[in-house]
Amino acid sequence: MQNNLRPDSFERITTKALADSFIEEQIKLIREEVGDKKVLLALSGGVDSSVVAALLAKAIGKQLYCVHVNHGLMRKYESENVIDVFQKQMDVNLIYVDATDRFLDLLKDVSDPERKRKIIGAEFINVFAEEARRLEGISYLAQGTIYPDILESVKQAEGKKAVKSHHNVGGLPEDLQFELVEPLKLLYKDEVRVVGEALGLPHGMVYRQPFPGPGLGVRCLGAITRDRLNALREADAILRDEFDKCGLAEKVWQYFVVIPDIKSVGVKDESRYEGWPAIIRAINTKDAMSATIEEIPYAVLHKIVNRIIGEVEGINRVLYDLTPKPTGTIEWE
Ligand code: XMP
């Protein structure tokens, strides 16, 4: 573990020039280590895995194999975006797996949040492992481990209380043990973003807000149904669109929609009908351990409300969650 610690001489990457020299050095190191072997990467489209993909694509080109698993709990256009950037623009080997039915079938009638998380995590490993077995001759597994993950592991190894376990592709079956390539393991998140931009990744991908591994699965509260999940995806896309347009996307750490498994009476076309409420949450935080509420101007709120009730099938109310953490956690599940 000690060897993984960042040396005092490591200069913080704050500029494009520093990022360029980090990239150059990593390309050399990666080529030396990997040689002509093949490298596999689980590419979720999150900041860390995206930057690793772009860096490895530059270093070893077609020796890199990325697997993008769509668990059906992605935000709107998220998988399409991954395909567009990595397959179409960067010409990376990308295996796209639409596993929506597998995940949603397993999650049917499951309402306990921790069970939902376990099912999603375990099935992700299953799908990824199947793809890894199909690809012959893979020697390395690339991971988007960053420095806070390393520090967290050091803390765990020292027996201190861990804040959060990190979310890399741990737990692969024994027949799939690869050497690890972790080119971002000495970088903090802000440095990863600078490197990502220097690699030519789109700004929106590099500065994207954190999105939990189980995705919309923990925002479609209780037992997930396809219709409520679709409503959630549409409402969330509207919130993001309006935050982009008014500049809040740059200021707010995390903002999203939650849909609980309850209905209330509403009125449409002069008749009563039951619909779900969409709950809007927008928070700011430094470390996700505590969070404050970001005030959304009324005019923006009204626009969001009108668009959600006007455009999203099944939603008849919009609520705004003003609870800080504590007492509320950031997510509802
Ligand atoms: P909470 O809800 O605990 O969330 O205040 C703190 C941060 O962690 C994210 N989060 C998760 N991320 N897998 C993840 O990768 C998860 O199961 C998970 N649960 C919460 C949450 O979005 C917030 O940024």
Side-chain angles (χ1 to χ4, degrees):
M1 279 295 174
Q2 292 304 321
N3 297 341
N4 275 334
L5 291 181
R6 187 163 156 142
D8 291 339
S9 57
F10 195 100
E11 192 174 356
R12 204 170 173 96
I13 301 171
T14 51
T15 62
K16 169 137 185 3
L18 289 167
D20 285 341
S21 71
F22 172 84
I23 291 164
E24 216 172 286
E25 190 188 333
Q26 284 300 321
I27 288 176
K28 218 171 109 220
L29 289 172
I30 292 164
R31 284 183 184 154
E32 268 166 29
E33 185 178 347
V34 169
D36 60 0
K37 305 264 173 42
K38 292 179 187 166
V39 180
L40 180 63
L41 170 70
L43 176 57
S44 65
V47 180
D48 305 333
S49 68
S50 297
V51 175
V52 171
L55 183 55
L56 283 167
K58 207 158 184 182
I60 56 168
K62 292 287 185 186
Q63 286 162 252
L64 171 67
Y65 291 81
C66 296
V67 175
H68 176 74
V69 178
N70 178 357
H71 48 27
L73 306 164
M74 296 295 211
R75 290 174 295 188
K76 195 170 182 182
Y77 299 133
E78 201 140 38
S79 289
E80 290 85 344
N81 205 15
V82 168
I83 294 169
D84 189 54
V85 169
F86 291 99
Q87 197 170 55
K88 300 197 179 137
Q89 294 175 32
M90 293 195 175
D91 195 26
V92 164
N93 286 321
L94 177 68
I95 296 134
Y96 170 70
V97 190
D98 183 355
T100 302
D101 289 341
R102 281 176 69 160
F103 281 82
L104 294 188
D105 287 351
L106 284 170
L107 287 164
K108 192 164 177 294
D109 300 327
V110 179
S111 56
D112 176 63
E114 289 314 303
R115 261 195 76 210
K116 283 162 73 174
R117 280 190 170 81
K118 283 211 175 77
I119 289 170
I120 296 165
E123 191 59 5
F124 182 87
I125 302 278
N126 289 341
V127 176
F128 185 72
E130 281 171 27
E131 295 306 318
R133 280 195 195 98
R134 240 193 285 277
L135 288 165
E136 282 169 18
I138 300 282
S139 307
Y140 289 89
L141 180 70
Q143 294 206 135
T145 312
I146 65 171
Y147 200 49
D149 301 327
I150 298 283
L151 292 178
E152 190 62 24
S153 310
V154 171
K155 241 203 242 167
Q156 275 176 10
E158 287 172 353
K160 293 189 190 142
K161 192 167 169 282
V163 177
K164 207 165 55 163
S165 53
H166 60 83
H167 312 290
N168 295 327
V169 191
L172 278 176
E174 291 233 331
D175 64 310
L176 288 173
Q177 294 301 319
F178 307 109
E179 295 288 318
L180 289 185
V181 182
E182 298 177 303
L184 309 180
K185 70 179 176 194
L186 292 185
L187 304 191
Y188 286 102
K189 196 80 172 192
D190 54 316
E191 298 176 297
V192 173
R193 297 192 208 276
V194 179
V195 169
E197 285 219 287
L199 284 163
L201 287 174
H203 183 84
M205 186 172 252
V206 169
Y207 282 86
R208 145 193 140 131
Q209 58 168 322
F211 186 55
L216 298 181
V218 289
R219 294 178 180 166
C220 189
L221 304 185
I224 298 166
T225 57
R226 285 175 194 250
D227 51 359
R228 197 155 49 91
L229 181 62
N230 286 339
L232 170 61
R233 186 175 288 115
E234 294 302 321
D236 183 74
I238 291 171
L239 179 77
R240 289 194 292 138
D241 184 40
E242 292 301 328
F243 266 47
D244 278 338
K245 282 188 197 148
C246 73
L248 272 174
E250 300 280 325
K251 281 175 53 195
V252 180
W253 201 77
Q254 219 171 352
Y255 48 98
F256 53 90
V257 172
V258 169
I259 303 194
D261 188 12
I262 52 169
K263 281 188 169 177
S264 69
V265 175
V267 59
K268 197 175 174 185
D269 303 328
E270 291 174 34
S271 47
R272 283 160 64 93
Y273 87 109
E274 293 200 321
W276 301 293
I279 301 165
I280 294 173
R281 191 141 170 78
I283 61 94
N284 267 319
T285 177
K286 283 205 162 58
D287 54 7
M289 298 300 290
S290 63
T292 54
I293 292 310
E294 177 64 31
E295 280 181 34
I296 309 176
Y298 259 110
V300 178
L301 269 176
H302 278 301
K303 199 151 178 222
I304 293 167
V305 171
N306 286 335
R307 280 196 61 194
I308 291 178
I309 56 177
E311 294 174 32
V312 185
E313 183 80 28
I315 294 183
N316 62 359
R317 290 173 198 270
V318 180
L319 313 180
Y320 181 19
D321 180 3
L322 290 172
T323 319
K325 176 181 180 178
T327 53
T329 46
I330 295 174
E331 303 291 344
W332 270 55
E333 285 195 332

